[in-house]
Amino acid sequence: MTHHITLIPGDGIGPEVAVATARAIEATGVGVEWERVQAGAKAFEETGHLLPDSVFESLERTRVGLKGPLTTPIAGGHQSINVTLRKRLDLYVNFRPVRMLPGLKTRFQGVPIDMIIFRENAEDLYSGLEHEVVSGVVESLKIITRTASLRIEQATFSFARREARKKVTAVHKANIMKMSDGLFLRCCREVAAEFPEIKYDELIVDNACMQLVMRPETFDVLLLPNLYGDIVSDLAAGLVGGLGIVPGANLGEGHALFEAVHGTAPDIAGKGRANPTALMQSAALLLAHLGERQASSRLHQAIESVYAEGTHLTVDVGGSASTVEFTDAIIAQLG
Ligand code: NAI
């Protein structure tokens, strides 16, 4: 069977990590036909649009995409491309597994960190509803709805049941934002009651950050509204080696977009030094999503083996290998 996958290489180091990852996917033996489309700064230069219609047309056909990092120009009032993609495709789940790679030197080396972060991806302070009330006073609206809360919570608990995870921790600030975070939390409790076999607890976001640093091994599945999820998922990535390592996925009912969560790394773009691990780990998630479980776990194991060996690691994680040398080592493991 041939899978049709939209590939958005992106900007900066995006094309380098995208080529590396496409090679790794192909080396698993899975049949893939890529639909390559441009978004971001390069697309803007060529078409005058950061997100040309061709991106959505392709994703409508394939329903699944792999995306490198994108540059959103800071000035000029452009909405973030990533936020626009999530909104237009209704990708309401942001999913980030955070696991330690064997051999990788981090501050928490030896600590068995294995947590899954579910972040609501569509509303909260990312609704883009901001205005100047009077000169010098600006209001940003934090939108929390029962519908959006229940659907991320159902997705989280269903995943926990399917994957036999033991605990879900909801993270909030309902002691201060009694109405908005209070609603999110009430919905969490409702959904938790439908899953009695899964332990459920709650943490206020500031305490959650401290506990994550003090006792990261005690966390299992975390469930957060959008803004806390954005911040806490980067904190969690830092526990296991940073954004160059962890994968990410944006999931909805109709579409799934797997991505590198790091940026375009303009300081090393074009130098052959980019670490493609994050996008490769996202590709392993993508393969599982397509039902290619064996290929997914082979790719995952190949990444683990290369890290355990430690002789073909890129500069950012203490090695001296180029992007291509690291990728060749992954492919040798798959061969
Ligand atoms: P960044 O993640 O691009 O870079 C931060 C540091 O990490 C740099 O020193 C970079 O060299 C290093 N780094 C990041 N990924 C790496 C990798 N795979 N291999 C080796 N080193 C890596 O973050 P920064 O500098 O804040 O953002 C740069 C640009 O990226 C901005 O235009 C921003 O808008 C965009 N961006 C895009 C994202 C996305 O599309 N998902 C996410 C974050 C930023």
Side-chain angles (χ1 to χ4, degrees):
M1 173 179 185
T2 301
H3 299 284
H4 294 259
I5 304 173
T6 300
L7 181 63
I8 309 170
D11 299 314
I13 60 169
E16 297 165 65
V17 294
V19 165
T21 304
R23 284 182 63 207
I25 291 188
E26 285 159 16
T28 66
V30 166
V32 174
E33 206 153 293
W34 300 102
E35 288 199 12
R36 277 168 217 267
V37 288
Q38 289 294 352
K42 202 179 246 166
F44 193 73
E45 273 166 35
E46 286 169 10
T47 67
H49 297 282
L50 287 167
L51 257 179
D53 286 342
S54 52
V55 173
F56 294 100
E57 285 159 12
S58 175
L59 284 165
E60 275 315 311
R61 276 191 298 275
T62 62
R63 304 266 156 187
V64 61
L66 184 65
K67 183 183 83 58
L70 300 169
T71 308
T72 298
I74 290 176
H78 298 280
Q79 198 187 26
S80 153
I81 308 173
N82 291 314
V83 172
T84 308
L85 269 169
R86 290 167 192 170
K87 282 195 177 152
R88 275 192 57 181
L89 298 172
D90 198 20
L91 302 168
Y92 63 92
V93 177
N94 190 287
F95 174 82
R96 274 209 215 168
V98 177
R99 290 193 187 99
M100 204 59 104
L101 280 170
L104 181 61
K105 289 188 181 57
T106 73
R107 287 173 187 276
F108 291 85
Q109 202 171 11
V111 181
I113 297 174
D114 176 9
M115 65 181 98
I116 309 280
I117 299 182
F118 277 82
R119 159 186 165 199
E120 198 286 321
N121 218 10
E123 54 178 28
D124 194 351
L125 279 162
Y126 293 66
S127 305
L129 299 171
E130 291 190 310
H131 65 274
E132 192 173 44
V133 184
V134 290
S135 178
V137 181
V138 168
E139 194 173 51
S140 297
L141 298 182
K142 173 170 166 124
I143 306 291
I144 299 284
T145 64
R146 186 174 155 77
T147 307
S149 299
L150 288 174
R151 67 179 185 169
I152 183 70
E153 290 151 8
Q154 281 289 352
T156 307
F157 278 92
S158 301
F159 168 89
R161 175 172 281 172
R162 209 169 47 246
E163 300 291 322
R165 306 290 299 209
K166 299 209 161 28
K167 184 175 72 168
V168 171
T169 304
V171 177
H172 66 94
K173 191 80 185 173
N175 51 328
I176 303 295
M177 277 156 281
K178 294 175 194 301
M179 290 192 72
S180 53
D181 284 11
L183 174 59
F184 185 81
L185 213 50
R186 278 200 306 283
C187 295
C188 281
R189 291 173 189 169
E190 253 178 62
V191 175
E194 296 170 29
F195 296 81
E197 79 279 19
I198 299 165
K199 188 169 180 298
Y200 169 69
D201 62 7
E202 297 167 354
L203 279 179
I204 294 174
V205 62
D206 33 353
N207 181 24
C209 289
M210 184 196 66
Q211 301 285 349
L212 276 162
V213 175
M214 301 282 289
R215 284 179 279 277
E217 72 283 4
T218 61
F219 287 86
D220 189 346
V221 178
L222 283 93
L223 166 58
L224 309 95
N226 206 342
L227 178 64
Y228 312 143
D230 194 0
I231 297 166
V232 167
S233 55
D234 276 19
L235 185 157
L239 302 173
V240 297
L243 296 180
I245 302 298
V246 293
N250 298 285
L251 310 169
E253 300 304 333
H255 302 87
L257 192 56
F258 297 81
E259 66 180 355
V261 293
H262 56 74
T264 57
D267 51 337
I268 57 164
K271 296 184 178 158
R273 284 175 48 191
N275 183 354
T277 303
L279 199 60
M280 285 188 187
Q281 296 226 75
S282 300
L285 298 177
L286 182 155
L287 288 168
H289 171 83
L290 292 175
E292 299 284 0
R293 293 225 157 241
Q294 214 190 348
S296 166
S297 75
R298 283 183 62 226
L299 178 53
H300 190 66
Q301 279 162 16
I303 296 168
E304 289 205 334
S305 302
V306 170
Y307 272 87
E309 245 168 43
T311 48
H312 291 88
L313 302 183
T314 48
V315 179
D316 58 306
V317 288
S320 57
S322 66
T323 310
V324 170
E325 286 161 349
F326 173 83
T327 309
D328 288 344
I330 296 285
I331 289 169
Q333 288 289 337
L334 288 165

mmCIF file of all heavy atoms in Angstrom, residues 276-324:
data_model
loop_
_atom_site.group_PDB
_atom_site.id
_atom_site.type_symbol
_atom_site.label_atom_id
_atom_site.label_comp_id
_atom_site.label_asym_id
_atom_site.label_seq_id
_atom_site.Cartn_x
_atom_site.Cartn_y
_atom_site.Cartn_z
ATOM 1 N N PRO A 276 18.009 16.162 13.013
ATOM 2 C CA PRO A 276 16.667 15.820 12.541
ATOM 3 C C PRO A 276 15.883 14.917 13.494
ATOM 4 O O PRO A 276 14.807 14.432 13.135
ATOM 5 C CB PRO A 276 16.950 15.077 11.224
ATOM 6 C CG PRO A 276 18.315 14.515 11.367
ATOM 7 C CD PRO A 276 19.051 15.307 12.414
ATOM 8 N N THR A 277 16.400 14.717 14.728
ATOM 9 C CA THR A 277 15.753 13.751 15.646
ATOM 10 C C THR A 277 14.287 14.094 15.907
ATOM 11 O O THR A 277 13.425 13.211 15.881
ATOM 12 C CB THR A 277 16.514 13.699 16.993
ATOM 13 O OG1 THR A 277 17.863 13.353 16.718
ATOM 14 C CG2 THR A 277 15.902 12.680 17.936
ATOM 15 N N ALA A 278 13.995 15.369 16.167
ATOM 16 C CA ALA A 278 12.621 15.728 16.522
ATOM 17 C C ALA A 278 11.664 15.364 15.381
ATOM 18 O O ALA A 278 10.606 14.762 15.607
ATOM 19 C CB ALA A 278 12.524 17.219 16.839
ATOM 20 N N LEU A 279 12.038 15.718 14.161
ATOM 21 C CA LEU A 279 11.130 15.421 13.040
ATOM 22 C C LEU A 279 11.070 13.907 12.779
ATOM 23 O O LEU A 279 10.011 13.382 12.435
ATOM 24 C CB LEU A 279 11.559 16.179 11.776
ATOM 25 C CG LEU A 279 10.469 16.302 10.712
ATOM 26 C CD1 LEU A 279 9.235 17.040 11.234
ATOM 27 C CD2 LEU A 279 10.971 17.018 9.455
ATOM 28 N N MET A 280 12.192 13.220 12.989
ATOM 29 C CA MET A 280 12.158 11.754 12.825
ATOM 30 C C MET A 280 11.260 11.104 13.879
ATOM 31 O O MET A 280 10.543 10.151 13.600
ATOM 32 C CB MET A 280 13.574 11.172 12.921
ATOM 33 C CG MET A 280 14.401 11.422 11.675
ATOM 34 S SD MET A 280 15.944 10.508 11.772
ATOM 35 C CE MET A 280 16.783 11.145 10.310
ATOM 36 N N GLN A 281 11.323 11.615 15.103
ATOM 37 C CA GLN A 281 10.435 11.057 16.145
ATOM 38 C C GLN A 281 8.967 11.363 15.802
ATOM 39 O O GLN A 281 8.079 10.546 16.049
ATOM 40 C CB GLN A 281 10.791 11.636 17.514
ATOM 41 C CG GLN A 281 12.188 11.264 17.976
ATOM 42 C CD GLN A 281 12.210 10.794 19.427
ATOM 43 O OE1 GLN A 281 11.796 9.679 19.719
ATOM 44 N NE2 GLN A 281 12.688 11.627 20.318
ATOM 45 N N SER A 282 8.733 12.542 15.226
ATOM 46 C CA SER A 282 7.358 12.857 14.787
ATOM 47 C C SER A 282 6.947 11.917 13.665
ATOM 48 O O SER A 282 5.784 11.511 13.566
ATOM 49 C CB SER A 282 7.270 14.308 14.301
ATOM 50 O OG SER A 282 7.631 15.187 15.331
ATOM 51 N N ALA A 283 7.913 11.567 12.811
ATOM 52 C CA ALA A 283 7.612 10.642 11.715
ATOM 53 C C ALA A 283 7.235 9.266 12.251
ATOM 54 O O ALA A 283 6.376 8.579 11.680
ATOM 55 C CB ALA A 283 8.817 10.532 10.779
ATOM 56 N N ALA A 284 7.854 8.863 13.364
ATOM 57 C CA ALA A 284 7.484 7.577 13.974
ATOM 58 C C ALA A 284 6.026 7.635 14.451
ATOM 59 O O ALA A 284 5.270 6.670 14.295
ATOM 60 C CB ALA A 284 8.430 7.239 15.121
ATOM 61 N N LEU A 285 5.623 8.783 14.989
ATOM 62 C CA LEU A 285 4.210 8.947 15.387
ATOM 63 C C LEU A 285 3.309 8.894 14.163
ATOM 64 O O LEU A 285 2.227 8.305 14.185
ATOM 65 C CB LEU A 285 3.993 10.285 16.102
ATOM 66 C CG LEU A 285 4.729 10.541 17.418
ATOM 67 C CD1 LEU A 285 4.428 11.950 17.915
ATOM 68 C CD2 LEU A 285 4.304 9.520 18.469
ATOM 69 N N LEU A 286 3.770 9.535 13.089
ATOM 70 C CA LEU A 286 2.986 9.572 11.844
ATOM 71 C C LEU A 286 2.766 8.138 11.314
ATOM 72 O O LEU A 286 1.651 7.775 10.918
ATOM 73 C CB LEU A 286 3.720 10.435 10.816
ATOM 74 C CG LEU A 286 3.070 10.664 9.456
ATOM 75 C CD1 LEU A 286 3.595 11.972 8.862
ATOM 76 C CD2 LEU A 286 3.312 9.560 8.463
ATOM 77 N N LEU A 287 3.832 7.342 11.334
ATOM 78 C CA LEU A 287 3.709 5.963 10.832
ATOM 79 C C LEU A 287 2.694 5.182 11.674
ATOM 80 O O LEU A 287 1.879 4.424 11.132
ATOM 81 C CB LEU A 287 5.077 5.271 10.846
ATOM 82 C CG LEU A 287 6.060 5.767 9.772
ATOM 83 C CD1 LEU A 287 7.475 5.232 10.044
ATOM 84 C CD2 LEU A 287 5.604 5.362 8.368
ATOM 85 N N ALA A 288 2.723 5.380 12.983
ATOM 86 C CA ALA A 288 1.753 4.690 13.857
ATOM 87 C C ALA A 288 0.339 5.155 13.512
ATOM 88 O O ALA A 288 -0.600 4.353 13.436
ATOM 89 C CB ALA A 288 2.072 4.963 15.313
ATOM 90 N N HIS A 289 0.185 6.459 13.256
ATOM 91 C CA HIS A 289 -1.117 7.016 12.897
ATOM 92 C C HIS A 289 -1.650 6.384 11.610
ATOM 93 O O HIS A 289 -2.849 6.161 11.461
ATOM 94 C CB HIS A 289 -0.970 8.540 12.739
ATOM 95 C CG HIS A 289 -2.175 9.222 12.178
ATOM 96 N ND1 HIS A 289 -3.248 9.592 12.960
ATOM 97 C CD2 HIS A 289 -2.488 9.603 10.908
ATOM 98 C CE1 HIS A 289 -4.161 10.169 12.205
ATOM 99 N NE2 HIS A 289 -3.722 10.191 10.954
ATOM 100 N N LEU A 290 -0.731 6.074 10.692
ATOM 101 C CA LEU A 290 -1.142 5.452 9.417
ATOM 102 C C LEU A 290 -1.393 3.951 9.570
ATOM 103 O O LEU A 290 -1.706 3.273 8.600
ATOM 104 C CB LEU A 290 -0.057 5.669 8.361
ATOM 105 C CG LEU A 290 0.164 7.111 7.878
ATOM 106 C CD1 LEU A 290 1.354 7.175 6.935
ATOM 107 C CD2 LEU A 290 -1.099 7.643 7.184
ATOM 108 N N GLY A 291 -1.202 3.439 10.773
ATOM 109 C CA GLY A 291 -1.407 1.998 10.996
ATOM 110 C C GLY A 291 -0.149 1.185 10.733
ATOM 111 O O GLY A 291 -0.172 -0.047 10.813
ATOM 112 N N GLU A 292 0.965 1.860 10.435
ATOM 113 C CA GLU A 292 2.227 1.163 10.154
ATOM 114 C C GLU A 292 3.000 1.021 11.471
ATOM 115 O O GLU A 292 4.065 1.593 11.657
ATOM 116 C CB GLU A 292 3.049 1.949 9.110
ATOM 117 C CG GLU A 292 2.372 2.123 7.778
ATOM 118 C CD GLU A 292 2.406 0.838 6.921
ATOM 119 O OE1 GLU A 292 2.960 -0.176 7.383
ATOM 120 O OE2 GLU A 292 1.864 0.872 5.806
ATOM 121 N N ARG A 293 2.453 0.218 12.371
ATOM 122 C CA ARG A 293 3.005 0.118 13.729
ATOM 123 C C ARG A 293 4.417 -0.456 13.738
ATOM 124 O O ARG A 293 5.275 -0.019 14.498
ATOM 125 C CB ARG A 293 2.099 -0.739 14.619
ATOM 126 C CG ARG A 293 0.767 -0.089 14.877
ATOM 127 C CD ARG A 293 0.375 -0.193 16.350
ATOM 128 N NE ARG A 293 -0.580 0.865 16.658
ATOM 129 C CZ ARG A 293 -0.364 1.823 17.553
ATOM 130 N NH1 ARG A 293 0.758 1.876 18.222
ATOM 131 N NH2 ARG A 293 -1.271 2.744 17.780
ATOM 132 N N GLN A 294 4.639 -1.458 12.868
ATOM 133 C CA GLN A 294 5.956 -2.093 12.866
ATOM 134 C C GLN A 294 7.032 -1.106 12.391
ATOM 135 O O GLN A 294 8.094 -0.977 12.996
ATOM 136 C CB GLN A 294 5.921 -3.307 11.948
ATOM 137 C CG GLN A 294 6.799 -4.412 12.444
ATOM 138 C CD GLN A 294 6.949 -5.510 11.404
ATOM 139 O OE1 GLN A 294 6.220 -5.547 10.410
ATOM 140 N NE2 GLN A 294 7.898 -6.387 11.623
ATOM 141 N N ALA A 295 6.722 -0.400 11.296
ATOM 142 C CA ALA A 295 7.678 0.586 10.769
ATOM 143 C C ALA A 295 7.922 1.676 11.803
ATOM 144 O O ALA A 295 9.058 2.142 11.998
ATOM 145 C CB ALA A 295 7.145 1.180 9.473
ATOM 146 N N SER A 296 6.849 2.063 12.491
ATOM 147 C CA SER A 296 6.968 3.098 13.518
ATOM 148 C C SER A 296 7.927 2.645 14.611
ATOM 149 O O SER A 296 8.846 3.378 15.002
ATOM 150 C CB SER A 296 5.580 3.382 14.107
ATOM 151 O OG SER A 296 5.707 4.122 15.274
ATOM 152 N N SER A 297 7.744 1.424 15.103
ATOM 153 C CA SER A 297 8.618 1.025 16.212
ATOM 154 C C SER A 297 10.028 0.730 15.707
ATOM 155 O O SER A 297 10.995 0.959 16.436
ATOM 156 C CB SER A 297 8.010 -0.124 17.027
ATOM 157 O OG SER A 297 8.131 -1.310 16.337
ATOM 158 N N ARG A 298 10.193 0.315 14.464
ATOM 159 C CA ARG A 298 11.550 0.134 13.935
ATOM 160 C C ARG A 298 12.287 1.479 13.854
ATOM 161 O O ARG A 298 13.456 1.593 14.194
ATOM 162 C CB ARG A 298 11.503 -0.532 12.552
ATOM 163 C CG ARG A 298 11.231 -2.040 12.642
ATOM 164 C CD ARG A 298 11.256 -2.693 11.283
ATOM 165 N NE ARG A 298 12.549 -2.579 10.652
ATOM 166 C CZ ARG A 298 12.759 -2.209 9.385
ATOM 167 N NH1 ARG A 298 11.735 -1.912 8.603
ATOM 168 N NH2 ARG A 298 13.965 -2.146 8.902
ATOM 169 N N LEU A 299 11.577 2.508 13.392
ATOM 170 C CA LEU A 299 12.210 3.830 13.309
ATOM 171 C C LEU A 299 12.572 4.329 14.706
ATOM 172 O O LEU A 299 13.672 4.841 14.947
ATOM 173 C CB LEU A 299 11.278 4.819 12.585
ATOM 174 C CG LEU A 299 11.774 6.256 12.469
ATOM 175 C CD1 LEU A 299 13.164 6.342 11.850
ATOM 176 C CD2 LEU A 299 10.790 7.110 11.639
ATOM 177 N N HIS A 300 11.641 4.133 15.627
ATOM 178 C CA HIS A 300 11.879 4.550 17.010
ATOM 179 C C HIS A 300 13.109 3.832 17.579
ATOM 180 O O HIS A 300 13.983 4.443 18.198
ATOM 181 C CB HIS A 300 10.625 4.250 17.827
ATOM 182 C CG HIS A 300 10.660 4.840 19.181
ATOM 183 N ND1 HIS A 300 10.653 6.191 19.394
ATOM 184 C CD2 HIS A 300 10.766 4.264 20.393
ATOM 185 C CE1 HIS A 300 10.736 6.422 20.685
ATOM 186 N NE2 HIS A 300 10.804 5.265 21.315
ATOM 187 N N GLN A 301 13.168 2.521 17.341
ATOM 188 C CA GLN A 301 14.310 1.744 17.862
ATOM 189 C C GLN A 301 15.626 2.167 17.203
ATOM 190 O O GLN A 301 16.673 2.189 17.844
ATOM 191 C CB GLN A 301 14.083 0.248 17.632
ATOM 192 C CG GLN A 301 13.187 -0.360 18.695
ATOM 193 C CD GLN A 301 12.592 -1.687 18.267
ATOM 194 O OE1 GLN A 301 13.056 -2.313 17.314
ATOM 195 N NE2 GLN A 301 11.551 -2.095 18.959
ATOM 196 N N ALA A 302 15.560 2.499 15.899
ATOM 197 C CA ALA A 302 16.778 2.929 15.200
ATOM 198 C C ALA A 302 17.308 4.214 15.838
ATOM 199 O O ALA A 302 18.512 4.363 16.076
ATOM 200 C CB ALA A 302 16.481 3.150 13.717
ATOM 201 N N ILE A 303 16.402 5.144 16.160
ATOM 202 C CA ILE A 303 16.817 6.404 16.807
ATOM 203 C C ILE A 303 17.446 6.083 18.166
ATOM 204 O O ILE A 303 18.528 6.576 18.505
ATOM 205 C CB ILE A 303 15.612 7.364 16.958
ATOM 206 C CG1 ILE A 303 15.073 7.781 15.584
ATOM 207 C CG2 ILE A 303 16.001 8.594 17.785
ATOM 208 C CD1 ILE A 303 13.726 8.489 15.605
ATOM 209 N N GLU A 304 16.781 5.217 18.930
ATOM 210 C CA GLU A 304 17.308 4.864 20.261
ATOM 211 C C GLU A 304 18.687 4.223 20.151
ATOM 212 O O GLU A 304 19.582 4.519 20.943
ATOM 213 C CB GLU A 304 16.339 3.919 20.969
ATOM 214 C CG GLU A 304 15.064 4.621 21.388
ATOM 215 C CD GLU A 304 14.369 3.950 22.555
ATOM 216 O OE1 GLU A 304 14.546 2.736 22.753
ATOM 217 O OE2 GLU A 304 13.640 4.658 23.251
ATOM 218 N N SER A 305 18.866 3.343 19.146
ATOM 219 C CA SER A 305 20.156 2.647 19.008
ATOM 220 C C SER A 305 21.265 3.633 18.676
ATOM 221 O O SER A 305 22.377 3.543 19.215
ATOM 222 C CB SER A 305 20.096 1.591 17.897
ATOM 223 O OG SER A 305 19.086 0.678 18.192
ATOM 224 N N VAL A 306 20.987 4.571 17.767
ATOM 225 C CA VAL A 306 22.022 5.541 17.384
ATOM 226 C C VAL A 306 22.402 6.403 18.598
ATOM 227 O O VAL A 306 23.578 6.693 18.817
ATOM 228 C CB VAL A 306 21.554 6.399 16.183
ATOM 229 C CG1 VAL A 306 22.494 7.565 15.938
ATOM 230 C CG2 VAL A 306 21.445 5.523 14.935
ATOM 231 N N TYR A 307 21.413 6.755 19.414
ATOM 232 C CA TYR A 307 21.721 7.533 20.629
ATOM 233 C C TYR A 307 22.471 6.685 21.646
ATOM 234 O O TYR A 307 23.421 7.153 22.283
ATOM 235 C CB TYR A 307 20.448 8.149 21.224
ATOM 236 C CG TYR A 307 20.164 9.495 20.604
ATOM 237 C CD1 TYR A 307 19.433 9.593 19.431
ATOM 238 C CD2 TYR A 307 20.675 10.667 21.150
ATOM 239 C CE1 TYR A 307 19.211 10.815 18.822
ATOM 240 C CE2 TYR A 307 20.455 11.899 20.562
ATOM 241 C CZ TYR A 307 19.723 11.972 19.392
ATOM 242 O OH TYR A 307 19.514 13.183 18.803
ATOM 243 N N ALA A 308 22.067 5.422 21.805
ATOM 244 C CA ALA A 308 22.738 4.549 22.783
ATOM 245 C C ALA A 308 24.201 4.355 22.381
ATOM 246 O O ALA A 308 25.096 4.376 23.231
ATOM 247 C CB ALA A 308 22.011 3.212 22.875
ATOM 248 N N GLU A 309 24.439 4.200 21.073
ATOM 249 C CA GLU A 309 25.814 4.038 20.586
ATOM 250 C C GLU A 309 26.623 5.322 20.790
ATOM 251 O O GLU A 309 27.780 5.297 21.192
ATOM 252 C CB GLU A 309 25.787 3.724 19.089
ATOM 253 C CG GLU A 309 26.311 2.354 18.741
ATOM 254 C CD GLU A 309 25.997 1.991 17.311
ATOM 255 O OE1 GLU A 309 26.160 2.863 16.429
ATOM 256 O OE2 GLU A 309 25.577 0.851 17.086
ATOM 257 N N GLY A 310 25.983 6.451 20.458
ATOM 258 C CA GLY A 310 26.572 7.762 20.755
ATOM 259 C C GLY A 310 27.705 8.210 19.846
ATOM 260 O O GLY A 310 28.351 9.220 20.127
ATOM 261 N N THR A 311 27.951 7.489 18.741
ATOM 262 C CA THR A 311 29.104 7.845 17.897
ATOM 263 C C THR A 311 28.714 8.684 16.671
ATOM 264 O O THR A 311 29.589 9.148 15.946
ATOM 265 C CB THR A 311 29.826 6.568 17.396
ATOM 266 O OG1 THR A 311 28.836 5.681 16.879
ATOM 267 C CG2 THR A 311 30.585 5.895 18.519
ATOM 268 N N HIS A 312 27.416 8.827 16.409
ATOM 269 C CA HIS A 312 26.982 9.586 15.228
ATOM 270 C C HIS A 312 25.984 10.673 15.609
ATOM 271 O O HIS A 312 25.000 10.887 14.907
ATOM 272 C CB HIS A 312 26.348 8.644 14.189
ATOM 273 C CG HIS A 312 27.344 7.726 13.557
ATOM 274 N ND1 HIS A 312 27.669 6.503 14.099
ATOM 275 C CD2 HIS A 312 28.107 7.872 12.458
ATOM 276 C CE1 HIS A 312 28.584 5.920 13.344
ATOM 277 N NE2 HIS A 312 28.875 6.729 12.344
ATOM 278 N N LEU A 313 26.241 11.332 16.723
ATOM 279 C CA LEU A 313 25.299 12.365 17.183
ATOM 280 C C LEU A 313 25.696 13.734 16.642
ATOM 281 O O LEU A 313 26.875 13.992 16.387
ATOM 282 C CB LEU A 313 25.249 12.399 18.713
ATOM 283 C CG LEU A 313 24.857 11.090 19.396
ATOM 284 C CD1 LEU A 313 24.761 11.278 20.906
ATOM 285 C CD2 LEU A 313 23.529 10.557 18.845
ATOM 286 N N THR A 314 24.703 14.592 16.488
ATOM 287 C CA THR A 314 24.959 15.934 15.950
ATOM 288 C C THR A 314 25.526 16.858 17.043
ATOM 289 O O THR A 314 25.476 16.532 18.236
ATOM 290 C CB THR A 314 23.656 16.521 15.364
ATOM 291 O OG1 THR A 314 22.613 16.342 16.321
ATOM 292 C CG2 THR A 314 23.286 15.845 14.052
ATOM 293 N N VAL A 315 26.002 18.011 16.592
ATOM 294 C CA VAL A 315 26.746 18.917 17.478
ATOM 295 C C VAL A 315 25.904 19.393 18.671
ATOM 296 O O VAL A 315 26.387 19.467 19.802
ATOM 297 C CB VAL A 315 27.232 20.141 16.649
ATOM 298 C CG1 VAL A 315 27.983 21.140 17.518
ATOM 299 C CG2 VAL A 315 28.101 19.670 15.485
ATOM 300 N N ASP A 316 24.624 19.691 18.434
ATOM 301 C CA ASP A 316 23.768 20.239 19.500
ATOM 302 C C ASP A 316 23.626 19.282 20.679
ATOM 303 O O ASP A 316 23.305 19.699 21.780
ATOM 304 C CB ASP A 316 22.385 20.581 18.941
ATOM 305 C CG ASP A 316 21.712 19.375 18.327
ATOM 306 O OD1 ASP A 316 22.323 18.740 17.443
ATOM 307 O OD2 ASP A 316 20.592 19.030 18.744
ATOM 308 N N VAL A 317 23.839 17.967 20.457
ATOM 309 C CA VAL A 317 23.706 17.014 21.573
ATOM 310 C C VAL A 317 25.080 16.420 21.932
ATOM 311 O O VAL A 317 25.183 15.306 22.437
ATOM 312 C CB VAL A 317 22.660 15.904 21.277
ATOM 313 C CG1 VAL A 317 21.260 16.467 21.312
ATOM 314 C CG2 VAL A 317 22.917 15.226 19.930
ATOM 315 N N GLY A 318 26.126 17.168 21.612
ATOM 316 C CA GLY A 318 27.458 16.788 22.084
ATOM 317 C C GLY A 318 28.265 15.942 21.127
ATOM 318 O O GLY A 318 29.363 15.502 21.463
ATOM 319 N N GLY A 319 27.757 15.692 19.916
ATOM 320 C CA GLY A 319 28.514 14.907 18.946
ATOM 321 C C GLY A 319 29.211 15.795 17.938
ATOM 322 O O GLY A 319 29.337 17.011 18.137
ATOM 323 N N SER A 320 29.660 15.166 16.839
ATOM 324 C CA SER A 320 30.312 15.968 15.799
ATOM 325 C C SER A 320 29.810 15.578 14.407
ATOM 326 O O SER A 320 30.351 16.026 13.400
ATOM 327 C CB SER A 320 31.834 15.765 15.869
ATOM 328 O OG SER A 320 32.121 14.382 15.735
ATOM 329 N N ALA A 321 28.769 14.744 14.353
ATOM 330 C CA ALA A 321 28.264 14.272 13.051
ATOM 331 C C ALA A 321 27.445 15.364 12.361
ATOM 332 O O ALA A 321 26.837 16.221 13.011
ATOM 333 C CB ALA A 321 27.395 13.026 13.250
ATOM 334 N N SER A 322 27.447 15.289 11.030
ATOM 335 C CA SER A 322 26.588 16.190 10.264
ATOM 336 C C SER A 322 25.175 15.582 10.207
ATOM 337 O O SER A 322 24.959 14.428 10.611
ATOM 338 C CB SER A 322 27.139 16.316 8.838
ATOM 339 O OG SER A 322 27.021 15.055 8.192
ATOM 340 N N THR A 323 24.238 16.375 9.663
ATOM 341 C CA THR A 323 22.865 15.879 9.500
ATOM 342 C C THR A 323 22.872 14.594 8.677
ATOM 343 O O THR A 323 22.192 13.618 9.005
ATOM 344 C CB THR A 323 22.012 16.949 8.772
ATOM 345 O OG1 THR A 323 22.203 18.200 9.425
ATOM 346 C CG2 THR A 323 20.541 16.591 8.748
ATOM 347 N N VAL A 324 23.662 14.606 7.605
ATOM 348 C CA VAL A 324 23.681 13.448 6.694
ATOM 349 C C VAL A 324 24.305 12.230 7.382
ATOM 350 O O VAL A 324 23.793 11.116 7.273
ATOM 351 C CB VAL A 324 24.439 13.814 5.394
ATOM 352 C CG1 VAL A 324 24.684 12.577 4.535
ATOM 353 C CG2 VAL A 324 23.654 14.860 4.608
#
